[in-house]
């Protein structure tokens, strides 16, 4: 009489392991003037909104709960709730430049025509801010503006004049590419350092580095020539473009895994999966995954690239799903969907 009970327990224990292979949440991408939502495997295409098909979607992002979508279309910005109540993007008074959605979906900070703006999405009201906000971190009482200045990285509670209440979070600014984690505890950016060319010699190089935003910024080397694209919402993982490779990197451990020939575009909420874009040649023969590397390993010359911002993708492309777990050498990206026009985002 006890045998069925034992079998039930075994199956119950095995179920979570099987569920771990299922990509979480859903994905939104653009195609021919439509924003389309699919599940993590590319199934169940549903149009959620439309836009002018002559516009190119340069970026898509969402909040931690997947309530709001922020989009950049041909250097202009718009937003929409993801509860089904809207079918078009609402324009924002943002100029060409970076914009960021707060983790609770309530505010957007962006570059306005005359300085930075803090926009309340519920009311549409925009307040001027006297610093160029690099990131909003935290939510509610822990909400903070973070910005880069010539004398370091600074943070302060939101206000029109955050400089008056600023705290130094790091003594040295990065060369470029600063990105703070959603919880405001860590940052990544490109700094000048050295790498080994062999066992006895070093040479100068620009490296992506991670560090705590605690005022001391003891930095840890990460990916040479890497450009941080996006943090996972749990602040544990970073999506990185390393020249011609898209990479997933652990924020504190430094280990990472890369796929050559792809453009990094989004990361799953838990950091276990990434979305990458590939062109026609990539669709025919996806390159194998690059082996995991340690932060201080010297890269070969064929992996070097100009240390510049990640260029926006152009279509038609195909969207692929990559996974952190599994074989580091032979696992290839899994096709999500074909004919994607520009960016995509993973929705919790």
């Amino acid at each position: 009489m006890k045998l069925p009970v034992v079998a039930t327990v075994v199956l119950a224990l095995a179920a979570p392991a099987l569920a771990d292979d299922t990509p979480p949440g859903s994905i939104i991408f653009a195609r021919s003037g439509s924003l389309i939502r699919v599940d993590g495997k590319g199934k169940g295409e549903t149009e959620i909104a439309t836009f002018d098909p002559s516009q190119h979607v340069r970026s898509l992002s969402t909040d931690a709960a997947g309530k709001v979508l922020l989009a950049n279309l041909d250097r202009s910005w718009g937003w929409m709730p993801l509860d089904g109540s809207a079918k078009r993007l609402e324009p924002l008074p943002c100029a060409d430049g970076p914009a960021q959605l707060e983790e609770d979906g309530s505010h957007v900070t962006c570059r306005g025509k005359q300085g930075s703006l803090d926009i309340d999405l519920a009311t549409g009201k925009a307040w001027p801010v006297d610093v160029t906000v690099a990131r909003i971190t935290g939510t509610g009482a822990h909400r903070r503006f973070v910005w880069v200045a010539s004398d370091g990285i600074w943070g302060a509670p939101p206000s029109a004049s955050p400089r008056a209440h600023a705290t130094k979070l790091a003594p040295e600014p990065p060369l470029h590419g600063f990105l703070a984690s959603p919880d405001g505890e860590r940052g990544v950016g490109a700094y000048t350092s050295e790498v080994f060319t062999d066992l006895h010699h070093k040479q100068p190089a620009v490296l992506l580095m991670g560090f705590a935003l605690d005022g001391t910024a003891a930095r840890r080397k990460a990916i040479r020539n890497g450009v941080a694209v996006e943090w996972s919402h749990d602040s544990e993982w970073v999506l990185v473009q390393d020249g011609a490779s898209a990479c997933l990197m652990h924020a504190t451990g430094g280990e990472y895994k890369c796929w050559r020939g792809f453009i990094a575009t989004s990361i799953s909420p838990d950091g276990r999966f990434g979305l990458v874009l590939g062109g026609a040649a990539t669709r025919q023969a996806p390159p194998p995954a690059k082996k995991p590397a340690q932060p201080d390993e010297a890269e070969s010359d064929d992996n070097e690239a100009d240390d510049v911002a990640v260029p926006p993708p152009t279509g038609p492309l195909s969207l692929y799903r990559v996974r952190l777990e599994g074989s580091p050498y032979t696992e290839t990206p899994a096709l999500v969907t074909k004919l994607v026009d520009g960016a995509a985002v993973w929705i919790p």
Side-chain angles (χ1 to χ4, degrees):
M1 298 296 293
K2 295 183 178 180
L3 182 58
V5 177
V6 174
T8 301
V9 172
V10 171
L11 290 174
L13 291 174
L18 295 174
D20 285 345
D21 291 329
T22 302
S26 59
I27 295 164
I28 293 177
F29 65 92
R31 179 194 290 148
S32 303
S34 295
L35 291 176
I36 299 171
R37 191 167 191 160
V38 295
D39 67 16
K41 293 186 175 181
K43 306 297 183 182
E45 288 194 5
T46 303
E47 182 183 81
I48 63 168
T50 60
F51 59 94
D52 183 346
S54 67
Q55 292 182 300
H56 175 63
V57 179
R58 296 170 60 87
S59 71
L60 295 170
S61 60
T62 186
D63 60 293
K67 298 185 299 182
V68 171
L69 182 71
L70 178 67
N72 184 313
L73 282 71
D74 283 341
R75 304 180 187 278
S76 63
W77 290 90
W79 77 283
M80 61 179 284
L82 290 174
D83 58 4
S85 62
K87 298 299 180 182
R88 302 280 296 187
L89 293 163
E90 182 73 21
L92 291 168
C94 300
D96 183 26
Q100 190 221 329
L101 179 66
E102 188 172 350
E103 280 292 283
D104 65 2
S106 63
H107 287 246
V108 167
T109 58
C110 65
R111 183 180 301 164
K113 294 181 179 179
Q114 296 180 339
S116 293
L117 296 175
D118 180 18
I119 305 169
D120 186 331
L121 295 180
T123 64
K125 186 174 181 179
W127 289 271
V129 181
D130 67 1
V131 298
T132 301
V133 178
R135 192 79 174 181
I136 318 173
T137 64
T139 58
H142 301 288
R143 186 171 183 249
R144 183 168 64 175
F145 289 164
V146 179
W147 67 94
V148 178
S150 60
D151 58 348
I153 298 172
W154 296 80
S159 70
S161 301
R163 295 180 192 272
H165 306 284
T167 300
K168 183 174 280 193
L169 306 178
E172 295 181 67
L175 299 175
H176 62 75
F178 171 71
L179 205 58
S181 62
D183 63 8
E185 296 295 321
R186 300 193 62 81
V188 290
Y191 288 84
T192 301
S193 185
E194 293 182 322
V195 295
F196 283 98
T197 56
D198 55 41
L199 291 177
H200 305 289
H201 300 88
K202 295 181 179 181
Q203 69 179 22
V206 175
L207 274 72
L208 183 68
M209 295 190 179
F211 48 93
L213 293 173
D214 58 3
T216 60
R219 298 191 295 269
R220 181 185 178 91
K221 295 179 181 179
I223 300 176
R224 183 178 180 182
N225 298 318
V227 178
V229 175
E230 182 181 338
W231 281 84
S232 59
H233 289 296
D234 64 6
S235 298
E236 290 290 330
W237 304 91
V238 186
L239 184 69
V240 176
Q241 188 71 32
D242 176 19
S245 298
C247 306
L248 287 171
M249 181 185 81
H250 193 256
T252 53
E255 69 274 15
Y256 62 95
K257 184 176 177 181
C258 296
W259 293 264
R260 184 180 293 278
F262 291 90
I263 299 170
T265 187
S266 189
I267 189 170
S268 66
D270 60 4
R272 292 175 53 238
F273 295 89
L275 290 177
V276 298
L277 289 164
T282 303
R283 289 199 296 269
Q284 295 172 7
K290 178 182 172 183
K291 74 170 185 175
Q294 297 304 313
D296 294 328
E297 285 186 358
E299 298 281 355
S300 60
D301 291 341
D302 63 358
N303 195 47
E304 292 185 6
D306 292 335
D307 200 2
V308 296
V310 179
T314 57
L317 298 167
S318 288
L319 188 64
Y320 292 86
R321 183 183 68 251
V322 295
R323 188 174 65 166
L324 193 66
E325 297 100 331
S327 170
Y329 299 100
T330 59
E331 184 178 346
T332 57
L335 179 67
V336 174
T337 188
K338 297 181 179 180
L339 301 177
V340 176
D341 299 335
V345 63
W346 208 303
I347 306 294

